Amino acid sequence: MDFRMGGGTASNSSKWDWKTIALVSVPVAGLGLGVAYYYFYHRRSQNAEKGKKKKSVEESTGQSSQEASPPPSQQQQQQQPATPLEAALQVKERGNKYYRGGRYDKAIECYSEAIDLCPPDQSDTLSTFYQNRAAALESLGKWDDVERDCTSALEHSPRYTKALARRAKVLKSRGRQLAKESASRIVPSLPSKAFLRSFFMSFSEDPVQREPIGSDPFSAALQALSDGKFDQLIGLCEEALKAPVHSNGSAQTPSPTASAEASQAAGESGDEPQPQEQQQEQQAAEKQSYLTPYRRDLCRLLLATLQLLSGQPLSAEPTLKSLANSNDVDRSVRANALIKLASLAMQAAMPGQTDVLTDSVLGHFDRALQLCPDHPDAHHHRGQMLLLTDRLDEALVHLTKACEGAPANPIPAVQRAYASHRTGSGANALDQLRRLTEKHRRCGEAHSLYAQALLETQQFDEAEKAFKRVTELEPDSGTAYVHQGLLRLQAHNDTEGGVALIQRALEVEPRCEFALETLATIEVQRGNLDAAIGLFDRAIALTKTEAELAHLWALREAADVQLQLARDMGLRMPSLAAGMHQAF
């Protein structure tokens, strides 16, 4: 979903490159699973959209590499140039012909000769020669050499956009490699409390949250969940799962009749009967030491959910599959596990894949609805995924069913109104969002999506008021502060005010990846590359998935290369840095 500031219709007079800064926009807090999904989908959609653009093969000729050309004729080769520059250009043209004929090794030889022949004061020409050789090297997959030649091209012509774009492509490839390497070193950690509150609120039929707290080993985890002590949950679940499971699956205290019969039997056997009160105390104590099969399944479900959220998919997936596939598990537990498996499948989609709603993802929702027809959470989260991937008509169908199944939950209703606004078919959608904010005054999601819709219609003052309301409702959530900061930059061109708001986001939510990446991107725009690299490093340390790691590593590498280039050449940074990141 394009949750960009103002729907990409910002004034062209702004000094900020909004196509760059808005790349980091994510849905406002309160979208539950949607917040987690958005990074993956949006990065992938950007990459794929750029991949649709026809590849530029040879900068000076503009011809396709598929146009096979014969090698240069002997007569052409024997023409004598009048000057060293003419000699270099002639050899370059010979390289172009080899390139178009697919003879990349020969083209590289020619471009290298042209570089050697070219007078050193011909910077623009040398830049083109290096860029042409980089194009031929790219065709052979020699990525380190491509980056070297792109850098050389930029040394001669710092604003050569085609060299910037080609080097950005190399850096993206390097980013994917670095992501693979660093993915194995991800330190499991839960996201912020604000995110976790929104996540759990997005489930209206969660069997874990509906379960009474009780007094068994699982009760401590349920109490911590109720109290919002999320950092304790994994340890409490792991401890609870050490408890034995009651053999008959019943945690009920035996009835008084059964207790009397047991006492009578004890008397007949010669054992001294125990008072009924003492027996009940003993049974209550035993009850506190074991789990019923159902509560054990709930504990496993909660633990797997937390593992999924903390960046441990390999730990979460087997448990979720085991719960989803067992006929001995309650259907509500199986359905919830399937919804979370859909999340896992969507996150596992490879970088560059545009259709992340694969058969695997949608199949999990289908199975959940087969187990529990009209399950509101299955419809809600399916509709939410469809909304995030711009399949708006389908999203409206499922969000409507979610509203029908859980009329007390305001979040599907708000998202349905926003989806209607996005389609452009709901004439009163914006007014409907406003009414929902009045009906659900304490629902941050309502105010957030209303603010987003106002931004998309360029109603900046009203949007700012709505975002301020979100910060009042969710004072420990950084997301609304980031949106306010971007609004200040876009609508008012207030750099200092915008940056201050984004820094405020990190004060209230130090682990807010959205704020870190946004601020890093702004610092790149401002030419503060040292600061940007530090912020990218902090965001990388918090990232939980390989796809987002690849994106962040590519941006970080771009900033680092640009910083080194600027230091080597004594260049001013703002324009150069902005040009580099426009290629992303």
Side-chain angles (χ1 to χ4, degrees), residues 253-441:
T253 301
S255 66
T257 302
S259 298
E261 291 174 351
S263 297
Q264 181 179 357
E268 292 173 354
S269 66
D271 296 334
E272 176 148 359
Q274 295 180 345
Q276 180 176 346
E277 183 176 341
Q278 184 177 349
Q279 284 186 332
Q280 290 176 341
E281 289 176 357
Q282 180 179 344
Q283 290 160 353
E286 291 175 353
K287 177 182 176 182
Q288 294 176 12
S289 66
Y290 61 74
L291 293 173
T292 66
Y294 177 67
R295 291 190 44 113
R296 183 174 186 273
D297 289 340
L298 291 179
C299 188
R300 293 174 65 207
L301 177 63
L302 178 57
L303 178 58
T305 300
L306 296 164
Q307 289 169 336
L308 174 63
L309 293 171
S310 62
Q312 303 177 73
L314 297 180
S315 298
E317 186 174 21
T319 301
L320 293 173
K321 284 185 175 180
S322 173
L323 292 169
N325 296 332
S326 174
N327 291 327
D328 295 329
V329 174
D330 185 86
R331 288 187 302 170
S332 65
V333 176
R334 295 177 66 188
N336 189 277
L338 285 162
I339 294 169
K340 289 162 184 174
L341 281 170
S343 165
L344 195 62
M346 190 171 184
Q347 294 184 19
M350 294 298 293
Q353 181 177 335
T354 55
D355 187 8
V356 292
L357 289 185
T358 60
D359 291 341
S360 174
V361 174
L362 297 178
H364 291 309
F365 286 119
D366 290 338
R367 287 185 59 198
L369 290 169
Q370 288 170 3
L371 285 168
C372 301
D374 299 323
H375 195 294
D377 287 346
H379 282 300
H380 176 198
H381 288 275
R382 184 172 189 157
Q384 187 169 257
M385 286 190 187
L386 290 163
L387 175 58
L388 291 172
T389 52
D390 282 332
R391 293 166 61 171
L392 300 176
D393 291 336
E394 295 172 80
L396 283 168
V397 170
H398 289 282
L399 291 170
T400 297
K401 291 181 178 180
C403 293
E404 294 168 351
N409 185 357
I411 296 179
V414 171
Q415 293 178 353
R416 179 178 62 175
Y418 181 75
S420 180
H421 159 75
R422 288 289 310 284
T423 63
S425 60
N428 300 317
L430 193 61
D431 189 55
Q432 184 182 2
L433 280 167
R434 180 188 58 77
R435 291 196 301 270
L436 285 168
T437 64
E438 295 171 353
K439 181 178 180 181
H440 305 285
R441 293 184 180 275

Side-chain angles (χ1 to χ4, degrees), residues 28-216:
V28 284
L31 280 179
L33 287 175
V35 179
Y37 301 150
Y38 183 76
Y39 274 123
F40 300 100
Y41 174 73
H42 201 46
R43 302 305 177 214
R44 220 166 4 248
S45 65
Q46 292 161 7
N47 293 340
E49 189 65 29
K50 290 178 180 178
K52 294 177 184 177
K53 297 179 179 179
K54 189 172 182 179
K55 180 180 177 182
S56 173
V57 177
E58 204 289 319
E59 272 55 49
S60 62
T61 67
Q63 297 188 38
S64 169
S65 64
Q66 301 303 315
E67 297 175 1
S69 298
S73 67
Q74 185 176 5
Q75 181 180 1
Q76 289 173 322
Q77 294 178 9
Q78 291 175 347
Q79 291 178 348
Q80 296 298 318
T83 66
L85 177 59
E86 289 180 359
L89 290 170
Q90 187 179 89
V91 175
K92 186 265 291 185
E93 287 302 321
R94 191 161 69 244
N96 291 347
K97 293 179 184 295
Y98 280 125
Y99 185 97
R100 291 194 296 272
R103 301 176 65 179
Y104 303 117
D105 286 324
K106 296 292 291 183
I108 291 168
E109 291 178 8
C110 291
Y111 295 140
S112 299
E113 183 181 350
I115 290 169
D116 291 338
L117 290 171
C118 187
D121 61 343
Q122 299 294 317
S123 293
D124 288 344
T125 303
L126 277 168
S127 181
T128 300
F129 291 172
Y130 278 113
Q131 171 58 14
N132 288 357
R133 189 169 71 177
L137 288 163
E138 180 184 353
S139 298
L140 297 177
K142 297 183 177 181
W143 301 109
D144 289 343
D145 292 336
V146 173
E147 182 189 346
R148 180 202 64 206
D149 274 3
C150 287
T151 300
S152 296
L154 292 168
E155 289 174 354
H156 291 282
S157 180
R159 299 183 66 85
Y160 194 175
T161 57
K162 291 179 179 178
L164 289 167
R166 176 162 278 118
R167 190 173 64 177
K169 182 178 180 180
V170 175
L171 292 171
K172 287 181 183 179
S173 177
R174 181 185 296 175
R176 287 192 288 271
Q177 181 59 40
L178 288 168
K180 287 183 181 296
E181 295 172 3
S182 57
S184 62
R185 301 191 298 271
I186 290 175
V187 178
S189 61
L190 288 170
S192 68
K193 290 182 68 174
F195 177 93
L196 290 168
R197 280 200 311 271
S198 297
F199 175 85
F200 284 108
M201 284 175 59
S202 69
F203 290 87
S204 59
E205 298 291 329
D206 184 355
V208 173
Q209 297 182 77
R210 293 165 67 94
E211 182 71 3
I213 290 176
S215 58
D216 66 356

